[in-house]
Amino acid sequence: MSNEVPAPTATAVLDYLVRSLVDEPDAVQIETVQGRRGLTLQVNVAPGDMGRVIGKRGRTAQSIRTVVRAAAVKDSTDVDIDFV
């Protein structure tokens, strides 16, 4: 098994964006899951920070998804982001 991250650019951008938004950046964890529809990046944050990441009407979460999908083009892959 290799320790290489499947989408390093997209993961790095996602990590930077989420850590910039939350009050507890050390609690941010990103897991990569290979599924039927491609690569899914699951973001775990502290319970109090979930609202900051989602934003009003999900606008912040949607913006994060848009930027990370654009970054994933450099990795030549499609990604989906789940906030859990």
Side-chain angles (χ1 to χ4, degrees):
M1 283 190 151
S2 71
N3 291 334
E4 188 176 324
V5 178
T9 306
T11 304
V13 169
L14 178 61
D15 186 59
Y16 175 78
L17 289 173
V18 174
R19 286 180 191 272
S20 298
L21 289 172
V22 298
D23 286 331
E24 296 181 43
D26 294 335
V28 174
Q29 294 180 336
I30 298 174
E31 296 177 28
T32 57
V33 178
Q34 190 68 40
R36 280 179 269 149
R37 297 183 308 163
L39 188 66
T40 301
L41 302 174
Q42 294 182 339
V43 181
N44 294 305
V45 297
D49 288 332
M50 187 56 78
R52 292 174 147 265
V53 174
I54 301 291
K56 290 184 181 177
R57 295 187 176 178
R59 289 185 181 159
T60 304
Q62 194 57 43
S63 297
I64 291 170
R65 286 184 177 107
T66 302
V67 171
V68 173
R69 285 184 184 133
V73 171
K74 186 173 182 188
D75 297 326
S76 301
T77 186
D78 290 330
V79 296
D80 191 31
I81 294 102
D82 287 340
F83 298 97
V84 291

